[in-house]
Amino acid sequence: MININPRKLLHSKWTATNPSNKEKHFLVTEVEFNEEGEVIHCLLEAVFTNRSEPIDWTVLKDENNWRQGWA
């Protein structure tokens, strides 16, 4: 399990361990917090295709699917 500080999510870089459609490298482009400081919105953008999709940011903790940084 990767330990992630939600406050440092914005502009963080991620590599998919099982890429599809040539989408391997991703960037977190939007993060929104509620009044309690919890993440309520996270947008992940594929660098190669510029396709964006909202995700549950906690899935990035799964080392079987994601690695922090661009490898």
Side-chain angles (χ1 to χ4, degrees):
M1 220 29 141
I2 300 171
N3 190 14
I4 305 170
N5 181 342
R7 295 276 173 207
K8 295 185 179 183
L9 270 175
L10 189 60
H11 304 299
S12 62
K13 299 172 183 173
W14 296 90
T15 299
T17 57
N18 302 307
S20 62
N21 300 323
K22 298 181 182 179
E23 295 176 338
K24 180 176 180 178
H25 297 114
F26 293 83
L27 185 67
V28 175
T29 57
E30 291 180 16
V31 179
E32 292 179 29
F33 298 90
N34 64 13
E35 295 80 29
E36 290 82 35
E38 299 168 342
V39 176
I40 57 172
H41 172 74
C42 183
L43 193 67
L44 195 65
E45 181 177 319
V47 175
F48 184 71
T49 62
N50 293 327
R51 183 181 64 83
S52 295
E53 69 178 77
I55 63 158
D56 175 358
W57 74 276
T58 59
V59 301
L60 297 172
K61 294 181 178 185
D62 183 357
E63 294 178 31
N64 295 319
N65 294 314
W66 296 100
R67 286 191 293 169
Q68 201 165 14
W70 289 343

